[in-house]
Coordinates of all heavy atoms in Angstrom, one line a residue:
M1 N 4.8 18.7 -14.7 CA 5.6 18.8 -13.5 C 4.7 19.0 -12.3 O 5.0 18.4 -11.2 CB 6.5 20.1 -13.7 CG 7.6 20.1 -12.6 SD 8.6 18.6 -12.6 CE 10.2 19.3 -12.8
A2 N 3.6 19.7 -12.4 CA 2.7 19.9 -11.3 C 2.0 18.5 -11.0 O 1.8 18.3 -9.8 CB 1.6 20.9 -11.7
G3 N 1.7 17.7 -12.0 CA 1.2 16.4 -11.7 C 2.1 15.5 -10.9 O 1.6 14.8 -10.0
L4 N 3.4 15.6 -11.2 CA 4.3 14.8 -10.5 C 4.4 15.2 -9.0 O 4.4 14.4 -8.1 CB 5.7 14.9 -11.1 CG 6.8 14.1 -10.5 CD1 6.6 12.6 -10.6 CD2 8.2 14.5 -11.2
L5 N 4.4 16.6 -8.8 CA 4.4 17.1 -7.5 C 3.2 16.7 -6.7 O 3.2 16.3 -5.5 CB 4.5 18.6 -7.5 CG 4.6 19.3 -6.2 CD1 5.8 18.9 -5.4 CD2 4.6 20.8 -6.4
F6 N 2.0 16.7 -7.4 CA 0.8 16.3 -6.7 C 0.8 14.9 -6.3 O 0.5 14.5 -5.1 CB -0.4 16.5 -7.7 CG -1.7 16.1 -7.2 CD1 -2.4 16.8 -6.2 CD2 -2.3 14.9 -7.6 CE1 -3.6 16.4 -5.8 CE2 -3.5 14.4 -7.2 CZ -4.1 15.2 -6.2
V7 N 1.3 14.0 -7.2 CA 1.3 12.6 -6.8 C 2.3 12.3 -5.7 O 2.0 11.6 -4.8 CB 1.7 11.7 -8.1 CG1 2.0 10.3 -7.7 CG2 0.6 11.8 -9.1
Y8 N 3.5 13.0 -5.8 CA 4.5 12.8 -4.7 C 3.9 13.3 -3.3 O 4.1 12.6 -2.3 CB 5.7 13.6 -5.1 CG 6.7 13.6 -3.9 CD1 7.5 12.5 -3.7 CD2 6.9 14.7 -3.1 CE1 8.4 12.5 -2.7 CE2 7.8 14.7 -2.1 CZ 8.6 13.6 -1.9 OH 9.5 13.6 -0.8
T9 N 3.2 14.4 -3.3 CA 2.7 14.9 -2.1 C 1.6 14.0 -1.5 O 1.7 13.7 -0.3 CB 2.0 16.3 -2.4 OG1 3.0 17.2 -2.9 CG2 1.5 16.9 -1.1
R10 N 0.7 13.5 -2.4 CA -0.3 12.6 -1.9 C 0.3 11.3 -1.3 O -0.2 10.8 -0.3 CB -1.3 12.3 -3.0 CG -2.1 13.5 -3.6 CD -3.2 13.9 -2.7 NE -4.2 12.8 -2.7 CZ -5.3 12.8 -2.1 NH1 -5.7 13.9 -1.5 NH2 -6.1 11.8 -2.2
T11 N 1.2 10.8 -2.0 CA 1.9 9.5 -1.6 C 2.6 9.7 -0.3 O 2.5 8.9 0.6 CB 2.9 9.0 -2.7 OG1 2.2 9.0 -3.9 CG2 3.4 7.7 -2.3
S12 N 3.3 10.8 -0.1 CA 4.0 11.1 1.1 C 3.1 11.3 2.3 O 3.3 10.8 3.4 CB 4.8 12.4 1.0 OG 5.8 12.3 0.0
I13 N 2.0 12.0 2.1 CA 1.0 12.2 3.2 C 0.4 10.8 3.6 O 0.2 10.5 4.8 CB -0.1 13.2 2.7 CG1 0.5 14.6 2.6 CG2 -1.3 13.2 3.7 CD1 -0.4 15.6 2.0
K14 N 0.0 10.0 2.6 CA -0.6 8.7 2.9 C 0.4 7.8 3.7 O 0.1 7.1 4.7 CB -1.0 7.9 1.7 CG -2.3 8.4 1.1 CD -2.7 7.6 -0.1 CE -4.0 8.1 -0.6 NZ -4.5 7.3 -1.7
A15 N 1.7 7.8 3.3 CA 2.7 7.1 4.0 C 2.9 7.6 5.4 O 3.1 6.8 6.3 CB 4.0 7.1 3.2
A16 N 2.9 8.9 5.6 CA 3.1 9.4 6.9 C 1.9 9.1 7.9 O 2.1 8.7 9.0 CB 3.3 10.9 6.8
K17 N 0.7 9.1 7.3 CA -0.5 8.8 8.1 C -0.4 7.3 8.5 O -0.7 6.9 9.6 CB -1.7 9.1 7.3 CG -2.1 10.6 7.3 CD -3.4 10.8 6.5 CE -3.7 12.2 6.5 NZ -5.0 12.5 5.7
R18 N -0.1 6.4 7.5 CA 0.0 5.0 7.8 C 1.1 4.7 8.9 O 0.9 3.9 9.8 CB 0.3 4.2 6.5 CG 0.2 2.7 6.7 CD 0.6 2.0 5.5 NE 2.1 2.1 5.3 CZ 2.7 2.4 4.2 NH1 2.1 2.7 3.1 NH2 4.0 2.5 4.2
N19 N 2.2 5.4 8.8 CA 3.3 5.2 9.7 C 2.9 5.6 11.1 O 3.1 4.9 12.1 CB 4.5 6.0 9.2 CG 5.8 5.6 10.0 OD1 5.8 4.6 10.6 ND2 6.7 6.5 9.9
A20 N 2.2 6.8 11.2 CA 1.8 7.3 12.5 C 0.7 6.3 13.1 O 0.8 6.1 14.3 CB 1.2 8.7 12.4
Q21 N -0.1 5.8 12.3 CA -1.2 4.8 12.8 C -0.5 3.6 13.3 O -0.9 3.1 14.4 CB -2.1 4.5 11.7 CG -3.3 3.6 12.1 CD -4.2 4.2 13.1 OE1 -4.4 5.4 13.1 NE2 -4.7 3.4 14.1
Q22 N 0.5 3.1 12.7 CA 1.2 1.9 13.1 C 1.9 2.2 14.5 O 1.9 1.3 15.4 CB 2.3 1.4 12.1 CG 1.7 0.8 10.9 CD 2.7 0.4 9.9 OE1 3.9 0.8 10.0 NE2 2.4 -0.4 8.9
H23 N 2.5 3.3 14.6 CA 3.2 3.7 15.9 C 2.2 3.8 17.0 O 2.4 3.4 18.1 CB 4.0 4.9 15.7 CG 5.3 4.7 14.9 ND1 6.5 4.7 15.5 CD2 5.5 4.3 13.6 CE1 7.4 4.5 14.6 NE2 6.8 4.2 13.4
R24 N 1.0 4.5 16.7 CA 0.0 4.6 17.7 C -0.5 3.2 18.2 O -0.7 3.0 19.4 CB -1.2 5.4 17.1 CG -1.3 6.8 17.6 CD -2.6 7.5 17.2 NE -2.2 8.4 16.1 CZ -2.6 8.3 14.8 NH1 -3.4 7.4 14.4 NH2 -2.1 9.2 14.0
E25 N -0.7 2.3 17.2 CA -1.2 1.0 17.6 C -0.2 0.2 18.4 O -0.5 -0.5 19.4 CB -1.6 0.2 16.3 CG -2.8 0.7 15.6 CD -3.0 0.1 14.3 OE1 -2.2 -0.7 13.8 OE2 -4.0 0.4 13.6
A26 N 1.1 0.4 18.1 CA 2.2 -0.3 18.9 C 2.3 0.3 20.3 O 2.7 -0.4 21.2 CB 3.5 -0.1 18.1
D27 N 1.9 1.6 20.4 CA 2.0 2.2 21.8 C 0.8 2.1 22.6 O 0.7 2.7 23.6 CB 2.5 3.7 21.6 CG 3.9 3.8 21.1 OD1 4.7 2.9 21.2 OD2 4.2 4.9 20.5
G28 N -0.3 1.5 22.1 CA -1.5 1.3 22.8 C -2.5 2.4 22.6 O -3.3 2.7 23.5
G29 N -2.6 3.0 21.4 CA -3.6 3.9 21.1 C -3.2 5.4 21.1 O -3.9 6.2 20.6
Q30 N -2.1 5.7 21.7 CA -1.6 7.1 21.7 C -0.1 7.1 21.5 O 0.6 6.2 22.1 CB -2.0 7.8 23.0 CG -1.7 9.2 23.0 CD -2.3 9.9 24.2 OE1 -2.7 9.2 25.1 NE2 -2.3 11.2 24.2
I31 N 0.5 8.0 20.7 CA 1.9 8.0 20.5 C 2.6 8.3 21.8 O 2.3 9.2 22.5 CB 2.3 9.0 19.4 CG1 1.8 8.6 18.1 CG2 3.8 9.2 19.4 CD1 2.1 9.5 16.9
S32 N 3.6 7.5 22.1 CA 4.5 7.7 23.3 C 5.8 8.3 22.8 O 6.5 7.6 22.0 CB 4.7 6.3 24.0 OG 5.8 6.5 24.9
W33 N 6.0 9.5 23.2 CA 7.3 10.2 22.6 C 8.5 9.5 23.2 O 9.5 9.5 22.5 CB 7.2 11.6 23.0 CG 6.1 12.3 22.3 CD1 5.0 12.8 22.9 CD2 5.9 12.5 20.9 NE1 4.1 13.3 21.9 CE2 4.7 13.1 20.7 CE3 6.7 12.1 19.8 CZ2 4.2 13.4 19.4 CZ3 6.2 12.5 18.5 CH2 5.0 13.1 18.3
R34 N 8.4 8.9 24.3 CA 9.6 8.1 24.9 C 9.9 6.9 23.9 O 11.0 6.7 23.6 CB 9.3 7.6 26.3 CG 10.3 6.6 26.8 CD 11.1 7.3 27.9 NE 12.0 6.2 28.5 CZ 13.3 6.2 28.2 NH1 13.9 7.0 27.5 NH2 14.0 5.2 28.8
N35 N 8.9 6.2 23.6 CA 9.1 5.0 22.7 C 9.5 5.5 21.3 O 10.3 4.8 20.7 CB 7.8 4.2 22.6 CG 7.5 3.4 23.9 OD1 8.3 3.3 24.7 ND2 6.3 2.9 24.0
E36 N 9.0 6.6 20.9 CA 9.4 7.1 19.6 C 10.9 7.4 19.6 O 11.6 7.1 18.6 CB 8.5 8.3 19.2 CG 8.7 8.9 17.8 CD 8.3 7.9 16.8 OE1 7.4 7.1 17.0 OE2 8.8 7.9 15.7
T37 N 11.3 8.1 20.6 CA 12.8 8.4 20.7 C 13.6 7.1 20.7 O 14.6 7.1 20.1 CB 13.0 9.2 22.0 OG1 12.2 10.4 21.9 CG2 14.5 9.6 22.1
L38 N 13.2 6.1 21.5 CA 13.9 4.9 21.5 C 13.9 4.2 20.2 O 15.0 3.6 19.8 CB 13.3 3.9 22.6 CG 13.4 4.4 24.0 CD1 12.6 3.5 25.0 CD2 14.9 4.4 24.5
R39 N 12.8 4.2 19.4 CA 12.8 3.7 18.1 C 13.8 4.4 17.2 O 14.5 3.7 16.4 CB 11.4 3.8 17.5 CG 10.4 2.8 17.9 CD 9.2 2.9 17.1 NE 8.1 2.3 17.9 CZ 7.2 3.0 18.6 NH1 7.1 4.3 18.5 NH2 6.3 2.3 19.3
R40 N 13.8 5.7 17.2 CA 14.7 6.4 16.3 C 16.2 6.2 16.6 O 17.0 6.4 15.7 CB 14.4 7.9 16.4 CG 13.1 8.2 15.8 CD 12.7 9.7 15.8 NE 11.3 9.9 15.4 CZ 11.0 10.8 14.5 NH1 11.9 11.6 14.0 NH2 9.7 10.9 14.1
H41 N 16.5 5.8 17.9 CA 17.9 5.6 18.2 C 18.2 4.1 18.2 O 19.3 3.7 18.7 CB 18.2 6.3 19.6 CG 18.2 7.7 19.5 ND1 19.1 8.5 18.9 CD2 17.2 8.6 19.9 CE1 18.8 9.8 19.0 NE2 17.7 9.9 19.6
G42 N 17.3 3.3 17.8 CA 17.6 1.9 17.6 C 17.5 1.0 18.9 O 17.9 -0.1 18.9
A43 N 16.9 1.6 20.0 CA 16.8 0.8 21.2 C 15.7 -0.2 21.2 O 15.8 -1.2 21.8 CB 16.6 1.8 22.4
I44 N 14.6 0.1 20.5 CA 13.5 -0.8 20.3 C 13.2 -0.9 18.8 O 13.5 0.0 18.0 CB 12.3 -0.4 21.1 CG1 11.7 0.9 20.7 CG2 12.5 -0.5 22.6 CD1 10.4 1.3 21.4
D45 N 12.5 -2.0 18.4 CA 12.2 -2.2 17.0 C 11.0 -1.3 16.6 O 10.2 -1.0 17.4 CB 11.8 -3.7 16.7 CG 13.0 -4.6 16.9 OD1 14.2 -4.1 16.7 OD2 12.8 -5.8 17.2
T46 N 11.0 -1.1 15.3 CA 9.9 -0.3 14.7 C 8.7 -1.3 14.5 O 8.9 -2.4 14.3 CB 10.2 0.3 13.3 OG1 10.6 -0.7 12.5 CG2 11.4 1.3 13.5
P47 N 7.5 -0.7 14.7 CA 6.3 -1.6 14.6 C 6.0 -1.9 13.2 O 6.1 -1.1 12.3 CB 5.2 -0.8 15.2 CG 5.6 0.6 15.0 CD 7.1 0.6 15.1
G48 N 5.4 -3.1 13.0 CA 4.9 -3.5 11.6 C 6.0 -3.6 10.6 O 7.2 -3.3 10.8
D49 N 5.5 -3.9 9.4 CA 6.4 -4.0 8.2 C 6.2 -2.7 7.4 O 5.2 -2.2 7.3 CB 6.1 -5.2 7.4 CG 4.7 -5.3 7.0 OD1 3.8 -4.6 7.6 OD2 4.4 -6.1 6.1
K50 N 7.3 -2.2 6.9 CA 7.3 -1.0 6.1 C 7.0 -1.4 4.7 O 7.5 -2.3 4.1 CB 8.6 -0.3 6.2 CG 8.9 0.3 7.6 CD 10.2 1.1 7.5 CE 10.5 1.7 8.9 NZ 11.7 2.5 8.9
G51 N 6.1 -0.6 4.1 CA 5.8 -0.8 2.7 C 6.3 0.3 1.8 O 6.4 1.4 2.2
T52 N 6.7 -0.1 0.6 CA 7.2 0.9 -0.3 C 6.1 1.4 -1.1 O 4.9 0.9 -1.1 CB 8.2 0.2 -1.3 OG1 7.6 -0.8 -2.0 CG2 9.4 -0.4 -0.5
V53 N 6.3 2.5 -1.9 CA 5.3 3.0 -2.8 C 4.8 2.0 -3.8 O 3.6 1.9 -4.1 CB 5.9 4.3 -3.5 CG1 4.9 4.8 -4.5 CG2 6.2 5.4 -2.5
R54 N 5.8 1.2 -4.3 CA 5.4 0.2 -5.2 C 4.4 -0.8 -4.6 O 3.5 -1.2 -5.3 CB 6.6 -0.6 -5.7 CG 6.3 -1.7 -6.7 CD 7.6 -2.3 -7.3 NE 8.2 -1.2 -8.1 CZ 9.3 -1.4 -8.8 NH1 10.0 -2.5 -8.7 NH2 9.9 -0.5 -9.5
E55 N 4.6 -1.2 -3.4 CA 3.7 -2.1 -2.7 C 2.3 -1.4 -2.5 O 1.3 -2.1 -2.7 CB 4.2 -2.5 -1.3 CG 5.4 -3.4 -1.5 CD 6.1 -3.7 -0.1 OE1 5.6 -3.2 0.9 OE2 7.1 -4.5 -0.1
L56 N 2.3 -0.1 -2.2 CA 1.0 0.6 -2.0 C 0.3 0.6 -3.3 O -1.0 0.4 -3.4 CB 1.3 2.0 -1.6 CG 1.7 2.2 -0.1 CD1 2.1 3.6 0.1 CD2 0.7 1.7 0.8
V57 N 1.0 0.9 -4.4 CA 0.3 0.9 -5.8 C -0.2 -0.5 -6.1 O -1.3 -0.6 -6.6 CB 1.3 1.4 -6.8 CG1 0.7 1.3 -8.2 CG2 1.6 2.9 -6.6
G58 N 0.6 -1.5 -5.8 CA 0.2 -2.9 -6.1 C -1.1 -3.3 -5.3 O -2.0 -3.9 -5.9
K59 N -1.2 -2.9 -4.1 CA -2.3 -3.1 -3.3 C -3.6 -2.4 -3.8 O -4.7 -3.0 -3.9 CB -2.1 -2.7 -1.8 CG -1.2 -3.6 -1.1 CD -1.0 -3.2 0.4 CE 0.0 -4.1 1.1 NZ 0.3 -3.6 2.4
A60 N -3.4 -1.2 -4.3 CA -4.5 -0.4 -4.8 C -5.0 -1.1 -6.1 O -6.2 -1.2 -6.3 CB -4.0 1.0 -5.1
K61 N -4.0 -1.6 -7.0 CA -4.4 -2.2 -8.2 C -5.2 -3.5 -7.9 O -6.2 -3.8 -8.6 CB -3.2 -2.6 -9.0 CG -2.6 -1.4 -9.8 CD -1.5 -1.8 -10.6 CE -0.9 -0.6 -11.4 NZ 0.3 -1.0 -12.2
E62 N -4.8 -4.3 -6.9 CA -5.5 -5.5 -6.5 C -6.9 -5.2 -6.0 O -7.8 -5.9 -6.4 CB -4.7 -6.2 -5.4 CG -3.4 -6.8 -5.8 CD -2.6 -7.4 -4.7 OE1 -3.1 -7.4 -3.5 OE2 -1.5 -7.9 -4.9
E63 N -7.0 -4.1 -5.2 CA -8.4 -3.8 -4.8 C -9.3 -3.4 -5.9 O -10.5 -3.8 -5.9 CB -8.3 -2.6 -3.8 CG -7.7 -3.0 -2.4 CD -7.4 -1.8 -1.5 OE1 -7.8 -0.7 -1.9 OE2 -6.9 -2.0 -0.4
V64 N -8.7 -2.7 -6.9 CA -9.5 -2.3 -8.0 C -9.9 -3.5 -8.9 O -11.0 -3.7 -9.3 CB -8.8 -1.2 -8.9 CG1 -9.5 -1.1 -10.3 CG2 -8.7 0.1 -8.2
A65 N -9.0 -4.4 -9.0 CA -9.2 -5.6 -9.8 C -10.3 -6.5 -9.1 O -11.1 -7.1 -9.8 CB -7.9 -6.4 -10.0
I66 N -10.2 -6.5 -7.8 CA -11.2 -7.3 -7.1 C -12.6 -6.8 -7.3 O -13.6 -7.5 -7.5 CB -10.9 -7.4 -5.5 CG1 -9.6 -8.3 -5.3 CG2 -12.1 -7.9 -4.7 CD1 -9.1 -8.2 -3.9
T67 N -12.8 -5.5 -7.2 CA -14.1 -4.9 -7.4 C -14.6 -5.0 -8.8 O -15.8 -5.2 -9.0 CB -14.1 -3.4 -7.0 OG1 -13.1 -2.7 -7.8 CG2 -13.8 -3.2 -5.5
V68 N -13.7 -5.0 -9.8 CA -14.0 -5.2 -11.2 C -14.4 -6.6 -11.4 O -15.4 -6.9 -12.2 CB -12.9 -4.7 -12.1 CG1 -13.2 -5.2 -13.6 CG2 -12.7 -3.2 -12.0
D69 N -13.7 -7.6 -10.9 CA -13.9 -9.0 -11.1 C -15.2 -9.5 -10.4 O -15.6 -10.6 -10.7 CB -12.7 -9.8 -10.6 CG -11.6 -9.7 -11.6 OD1 -11.8 -9.2 -12.7 OD2 -10.5 -10.0 -11.2
K70 N -15.8 -8.8 -9.5 CA -16.9 -9.3 -8.7 C -18.1 -9.6 -9.6 O -18.8 -10.5 -9.4 CB -17.3 -8.3 -7.6 CG -16.5 -8.4 -6.4 CD -17.0 -7.5 -5.3 CE -16.2 -7.5 -4.1 NZ -16.6 -6.6 -3.1
G71 N -18.3 -8.8 -10.7 CA -19.4 -9.0 -11.5 C -19.2 -10.0 -12.7 O -20.1 -10.3 -13.4
K72 N -18.0 -10.5 -12.8 CA -17.7 -11.4 -14.0 C -17.8 -12.8 -13.5 O -17.6 -13.2 -12.4 CB -16.3 -11.1 -14.5 CG -16.1 -9.8 -15.1 CD -14.7 -9.6 -15.6 CE -14.5 -8.3 -16.2 NZ -13.1 -8.2 -16.7
T73 N -18.2 -13.7 -14.5 CA -18.2 -15.1 -14.3 C -16.8 -15.6 -14.4 O -15.9 -15.0 -14.9 CB -19.1 -15.8 -15.2 OG1 -18.6 -15.7 -16.6 CG2 -20.5 -15.3 -15.1
E74 N -16.6 -16.9 -14.0 CA -15.2 -17.5 -14.1 C -14.8 -17.5 -15.6 O -13.6 -17.3 -15.9 CB -15.3 -18.9 -13.6 CG -14.5 -19.4 -12.4 CD -13.5 -18.5 -11.8 OE1 -13.9 -17.7 -10.9 OE2 -12.4 -18.5 -12.1
E75 N -15.7 -17.8 -16.5 CA -15.4 -18.0 -17.9 C -14.9 -16.6 -18.4 O -13.9 -16.5 -19.2 CB -16.6 -18.5 -18.6 CG -16.3 -18.9 -20.1 CD -17.5 -19.6 -20.7 OE1 -18.1 -20.4 -20.0 OE2 -17.8 -19.2 -21.9
E76 N -15.6 -15.5 -18.1 CA -15.2 -14.2 -18.5 C -13.8 -13.8 -18.0 O -13.0 -13.2 -18.7 CB -16.2 -13.2 -18.1 CG -17.5 -13.3 -18.8 CD -18.6 -12.4 -18.3 OE1 -18.5 -12.0 -17.1 OE2 -19.5 -12.1 -19.0
K77 N -13.5 -14.2 -16.7 CA -12.2 -13.9 -16.2 C -11.1 -14.6 -16.9 O -10.0 -14.0 -17.2 CB -12.2 -14.3 -14.7 CG -13.0 -13.5 -13.8 CD -13.0 -14.0 -12.4 CE -14.0 -13.4 -11.5 NZ -14.0 -13.9 -10.1
I78 N -11.3 -15.9 -17.3 CA -10.3 -16.6 -18.0 C -10.1 -16.0 -19.4 O -8.9 -15.8 -19.9 CB -10.7 -18.1 -18.2 CG1 -10.7 -18.8 -16.8 CG2 -9.8 -18.8 -19.1 CD1 -11.3 -20.1 -16.7
K79 N -11.1 -15.6 -20.1 CA -11.0 -15.0 -21.4 C -10.2 -13.6 -21.3 O -9.4 -13.3 -22.1 CB -12.4 -14.7 -22.0 CG -13.1 -15.9 -22.5 CD -14.4 -15.6 -23.1 CE -15.2 -16.9 -23.5 NZ -16.5 -16.6 -24.1
A80 N -10.5 -12.9 -20.2 CA -9.8 -11.6 -20.0 C -8.3 -11.9 -19.8 O -7.4 -11.1 -20.4 CB -10.3 -10.9 -18.8
R81 N -7.9 -12.9 -19.1 CA -6.5 -13.2 -18.8 C -5.8 -13.7 -20.1 O -4.7 -13.3 -20.4 CB -6.4 -14.4 -17.8 CG -6.7 -13.9 -16.4 CD -6.6 -15.1 -15.5 NE -7.0 -14.7 -14.1 CZ -7.5 -15.5 -13.2 NH1 -7.5 -16.8 -13.5 NH2 -7.9 -15.1 -12.1
R82 N -6.5 -14.4 -21.0 CA -6.0 -14.9 -22.2 C -5.7 -13.7 -23.1 O -4.7 -13.6 -23.8 CB -6.9 -15.8 -22.9 CG -6.9 -17.2 -22.3 CD -7.8 -18.1 -23.1 NE -8.0 -19.4 -22.4 CZ -9.0 -20.2 -22.6 NH1 -10.0 -19.9 -23.4 NH2 -9.0 -21.4 -21.9
G83 N -6.6 -12.7 -23.1 CA -6.5 -11.5 -23.9 C -5.3 -10.7 -23.5 O -4.6 -10.2 -24.4
K84 N -5.0 -10.6 -22.2 CA -3.8 -9.9 -21.7 C -2.6 -10.5 -22.2 O -1.6 -9.9 -22.6 CB -3.9 -9.8 -20.2 CG -4.9 -8.8 -19.7 CD -4.8 -8.8 -18.2 CE -5.8 -7.8 -17.6 NZ -5.7 -7.7 -16.1
R85 N -2.5 -11.9 -22.2 CA -1.3 -12.6 -22.6 C -1.0 -12.4 -24.1 O 0.1 -12.2 -24.5 CB -1.4 -14.1 -22.3 CG -1.3 -14.4 -20.9 CD -1.4 -15.9 -20.7 NE -1.5 -16.2 -19.3 CZ -1.9 -17.3 -18.8 NH1 -2.3 -18.3 -19.6 NH2 -1.9 -17.6 -17.5
K86 N -2.1 -12.4 -24.9 CA -1.9 -12.2 -26.4 C -1.4 -10.8 -26.7 O -0.7 -10.6 -27.6 CB -3.2 -12.5 -27.1 CG -3.6 -14.0 -27.1 CD -4.9 -14.2 -27.8 CE -5.3 -15.7 -27.8 NZ -6.6 -15.9 -28.4
E87 N -1.9 -9.8 -25.9 CA -1.5 -8.4 -26.1 C -0.1 -8.1 -25.6 O 0.4 -7.1 -25.8 CB -2.5 -7.5 -25.5 CG -3.9 -7.6 -26.1 CD -4.9 -6.8 -25.3 OE1 -4.5 -6.2 -24.3 OE2 -6.0 -6.8 -25.6
G88 N 0.5 -9.1 -24.9 CA 1.8 -8.9 -24.3 C 1.8 -8.2 -23.0 O 2.8 -7.6 -22.5
G89 N 0.7 -8.4 -22.3 CA 0.5 -7.8 -20.9 C 1.3 -8.7 -19.9 O 2.0 -9.6 -20.3
D90 N 1.0 -8.4 -18.7 CA 1.7 -9.2 -17.6 C 1.2 -10.7 -17.6 O 0.1 -11.0 -17.8 CB 1.3 -8.6 -16.2 CG 1.8 -7.2 -16.0 OD1 2.8 -6.9 -16.7 OD2 1.3 -6.5 -15.2
E91 N 2.2 -11.5 -17.4 CA 1.9 -13.0 -17.3 C 1.3 -13.2 -16.0 O 1.7 -12.7 -14.9 CB 3.2 -13.7 -17.4 CG 3.9 -13.6 -18.8 CD 3.3 -14.5 -19.8 OE1 2.8 -15.6 -19.5 OE2 3.4 -14.2 -21.0
L92 N 0.3 -14.0 -15.9 CA -0.4 -14.4 -14.7 C 0.1 -15.7 -14.1 O 0.5 -16.6 -14.6 CB -1.9 -14.4 -14.8 CG -2.5 -13.1 -15.2 CD1 -4.0 -13.2 -15.4 CD2 -2.3 -12.0 -14.1

């Protein structure tokens, strides 16, 4: 149960930081409370596209896969993909 709480807390904090950064960038480097109020009441659009937790996890997996694949040759990558298919892993 503590692990679940830990993961939820970390994910929430990362999402809040990312959201604040997007709002800062949209307002020119510093949060404008006037623009923030207008966003919350629907007068202006929210900046950027919102990502779900699933998208964040997917991006993290892609980044890990990229760093792992850097040292492999093309032939090794193909063999690894074939092995995943035979084991019933995700289809590529």
